[in-house]
Amino acid sequence: MRKNINLVWFRNDLRVGDNPALFYAAEQGAVIGIYLEPVEQREAHDDAPCKIGFIYDSVNELRKKLNKLNIPLHSFKVKDYQQSVEKIVQLVEQYNTDGVYFNNEYPFNERNRDDELEKVLLGKGKEVKRFDGDVIIPPNSVSTGKGEPYKVFTPYKKSWIEFHKTQGISPLPIPSKQDFKIEKQHDYDFGHDYRKDLWPAGELAAQDRLKEFLPKAGYYKEHRDIPAVKGTSMLSPYLTVGAISAKQCIESLLEWYEGDQEAFYLDTWLSEIIWREFYRQIIIDNPQISYHLPFKKDAKEVWNGQHELFEKWCQAETGFPLIDAAMRQLIQTGWMHNRLRMNVAMFLNKLCLIDWREGEAFFMRHLIDGDFASNNGGWQWCSSTGADGAPYFRIMSPITQSQRFDPQGKFIRKLVPELASLNNKDIHFPTSQQRKELGYPEPIIDYKEARKAALALLS
């Protein structure tokens, strides 16, 4: 009797642990792993070269782990999502598989692609199994008392926690070793350069980073806003490509608290992971977001800033040291500290009056952890157009924020070394004479006047 064979289509779930599609496919019989790189779709979605390079190395690390389980992983080049569907159908026929298993992705284009694939395969009598491996609780698990989607984070978080408490959600184990002979594996090389010293690829590297962070988790709340301190988990690139799951992260956090649920549910890092889930639910409930429209249908869109301001922001030449340091961090490493993401976003959007979509796209073109839901959610939050967004009058001062979160200028001195000789007061906003002597540009806006203009337009 022929043994069942199923394809597992890997996408943003490049791991063997806590991978529902892989685990349940392996329970049914032999598994063939597939990864497709949609080259033109990547360009359309503004994915950064550093992110694509990180994905390629993560795929290679995944192949090593799968091969130890006697599971092959073939990678192919495709043009776009439509060709992805065609390629999977072709592979199903080529390998005479019984069906396809995959973990869901939630942006609009990705959901349409998966719905189309399911329709085609079911029409051919093939099985399709879909799972929610990218989130901790399944989408649409919680809603308001009226049965409507949440639009505000805090009540969503409360419902999320109550759901999590009652479900006993735990990560899935690594699947059993397969009785399958691996032959030649097809590999498509789509590698790009990136800071491999900062972001070693793969599941083991992600687990090591989590172990390194957990002893610091108790200090996360007070350290996470200080850019000169390594106070964040630095796991976002691994979560983006799925080298580690959010479920694995919080399970390890609970273990670190030795099962103390009260301390666990009050943890600030857990809250940030729940924000990630919230933004995924938001893009599911509001498909217009995938078409570059604001979450708030009545949001004021008054962005009329001059393009030269955007260019200066992109080039880290704003004349505001904290903003320029943050932008250089992004350009040089493919990553930016979260507090700084809010600072540079509000600076561009509200003080320079540049459309938030311009900044959103620039981030995606440079971030190694570029994630559509989280990036869009963050930019819309800062521009006051998004779900539970900052009030229109909240505009972060790049000088005050610098003084508060980088008081000795340690972060600025590292990223803007031409200012390193300044004292702890002047480094946050040098005088004109100091700028001239040190070769640092004049500010591109007058902060007080720009704030007044923004408030007048947004009120």
Side-chain angles (χ1 to χ4, degrees):
M1 182 177 178
R2 176 184 173 275
K3 187 176 183 180
N4 282 353
I5 302 176
N6 288 296
L7 287 186
V8 173
W9 182 11
F10 290 92
R11 294 98 72 89
N12 63 340
D13 52 352
L14 304 179
R15 61 183 184 274
V16 298
D18 192 38
N19 189 317
L22 175 63
F23 180 81
Y24 290 112
E27 280 198 332
Q28 298 303 311
V31 170
I32 298 174
I34 300 295
Y35 179 83
L36 306 180
E37 178 58 19
V39 178
E40 293 186 15
Q41 200 83 40
R42 288 273 185 220
E43 294 178 4
H45 288 178
D46 291 317
D47 280 331
C50 61
K51 175 185 171 181
I52 297 171
F54 184 63
I55 289 172
Y56 176 68
D57 285 355
S58 299
V59 169
N60 286 334
E61 291 299 314
L62 173 63
R63 180 179 285 115
K64 294 175 186 177
K65 294 185 74 70
L66 287 172
N67 286 176
K68 291 180 180 179
L69 300 173
N70 287 342
I71 298 173
L73 178 61
H74 304 283
S75 61
F76 301 93
K77 172 186 176 181
V78 292
K79 176 182 175 182
D80 52 23
Y81 285 164
Q82 180 57 46
Q83 201 171 84
S84 296
V85 171
E86 296 167 0
K87 185 65 176 179
I88 291 294
V89 172
Q90 174 203 322
L91 292 169
V92 166
E93 295 173 349
Q94 177 181 335
Y95 294 114
N96 191 26
T97 62
D98 297 277
V100 176
Y101 286 58
F102 57 84
N103 295 308
N104 288 316
E105 295 180 295
Y106 306 111
F108 190 72
N109 288 342
E110 286 79 351
R111 283 186 287 149
N112 280 348
R113 171 201 62 197
D114 293 347
D115 290 345
E116 174 65 18
L117 176 65
E118 183 173 29
K119 179 181 176 182
V120 172
L121 289 177
L122 290 178
K124 292 179 176 292
K126 300 295 183 178
E127 189 175 45
V128 177
K129 293 289 186 180
R130 303 169 66 165
F131 304 89
D132 291 302
D134 189 44
V135 290
I136 299 165
I137 71 171
N140 308 313
S141 294
V142 297
S143 58
T144 68
K146 296 181 179 180
E148 298 174 349
Y150 283 105
K151 299 179 180 179
V152 178
F153 175 70
T154 300
Y156 170 85
K157 176 184 173 180
K158 290 179 180 177
S159 292
W160 188 100
I161 288 174
E162 289 306 311
F163 182 91
H164 185 265
K165 284 180 178 179
T166 61
Q167 296 302 307
I169 299 170
S170 298
L172 291 166
I174 293 172
S176 301
K177 192 171 184 178
Q178 301 287 291
D179 180 17
F180 192 83
K181 183 180 179 181
I182 297 179
E183 297 178 354
K184 185 177 180 181
Q185 298 172 87
H186 191 279
D187 175 40
Y188 168 59
D189 185 348
F190 55 94
H192 287 268
D193 289 335
Y194 66 96
R195 290 292 301 275
K196 298 185 182 186
D197 57 323
L198 297 178
W199 315 109
E203 194 167 356
L204 289 176
Q207 293 290 344
D208 287 344
R209 188 148 294 187
L210 176 61
K211 291 175 185 176
E212 179 185 349
F213 169 72
L214 286 173
K216 308 174 186 176
Y219 304 101
Y220 175 76
K221 184 176 182 179
E222 55 191 270
H223 288 170
R224 62 176 178 152
D225 287 328
I226 306 173
V229 172
K230 193 177 179 181
T232 64
S233 71
M234 308 290 282
L235 279 166
S236 54
Y238 300 94
L239 284 164
T240 294
V241 304
I244 195 169
S245 73
K247 196 181 295 182
Q248 288 174 314
C249 289
I250 71 163
E251 181 75 6
S252 295
L253 182 65
L254 180 58
E255 290 175 3
W256 179 257
Y257 279 116
E258 298 180 336
D260 183 345
Q261 288 203 356
E262 182 177 359
F264 170 71
Y265 286 117
L266 289 173
D267 186 86
T268 303
W269 188 53
L270 171 65
S271 186
E272 291 302 305
I273 292 175
I274 300 174
W275 267 104
R276 181 178 183 271
E277 306 249 314
F278 177 62
Y279 281 142
R280 275 154 172 67
Q281 186 64 58
I282 289 296
I283 63 170
I284 291 171
D285 295 328
N286 301 272
Q288 80 275 9
I289 288 175
S290 294
Y291 289 99
H292 307 294
L293 296 174
F295 169 83
K296 295 179 181 177
K297 296 179 174 61
D298 60 348
K300 283 194 173 183
E301 299 264 37
V302 293
W303 326 120
N304 57 12
Q306 299 174 4
H307 186 71
E308 64 186 48
L309 298 181
F310 177 61
E311 289 300 318
K312 292 293 185 182
W313 179 85
C314 293
Q315 296 161 8
E317 296 176 353
T318 68
F320 288 84
L322 186 70
I323 302 300
D324 292 339
M327 294 301 291
R328 290 188 191 185
Q329 183 183 46
L330 173 62
I331 294 165
Q332 293 172 16
T333 71
W335 184 84
M336 187 190 290
H337 184 275
N338 186 60
R339 164 64 58 170
L340 300 184
R341 296 189 195 205
M342 293 187 286
N343 274 271
V344 301
M346 285 194 181
F347 181 90
L348 181 73
N349 184 238
K350 290 183 175 176
L351 295 175
C352 295
L353 294 177
I354 300 296
D355 194 324
W356 57 268
R357 299 166 186 83
E358 296 285 340
E360 176 195 21
F362 184 87
F363 264 34
M364 285 299 295
R365 289 193 291 269
H366 291 82
L367 284 171
I368 194 169
D369 65 351
D371 173 272
F372 174 74
S374 295
N375 187 51
N376 179 277
W379 275 93
Q380 291 218 43
W381 186 90
C382 289
S383 67
S384 304
T385 64
D388 202 7
Y392 77 89
F393 50 82
R394 183 174 183 184
I395 304 175
M396 293 178 175
S397 162
I399 302 171
T400 303
Q401 290 279 305
S402 182
Q403 294 166 338
R404 180 180 176 186
F405 296 111
D406 191 30
Q408 296 177 317
K410 291 181 180 180
F411 181 75
I412 293 173
R413 293 179 207 282
K414 180 179 179 181
L415 274 300
V416 192
E418 61 266 37
L419 302 181
S421 62
L422 296 178
N423 61 41
N424 292 349
K425 177 177 179 293
D426 292 340
I427 197 166
H428 303 291
F429 197 69
T431 65
S432 292
Q433 183 60 33
Q434 288 168 333
R435 292 169 187 271
K436 186 176 181 180
E437 292 174 355
L438 299 173
Y440 186 67
E442 289 292 326
I444 60 173
I445 59 166
D446 180 307
Y447 169 71
K448 291 183 179 179
E449 292 302 317
R451 177 181 171 81
K452 286 180 184 178
L455 291 176
L457 287 169
L458 293 170
S459 61

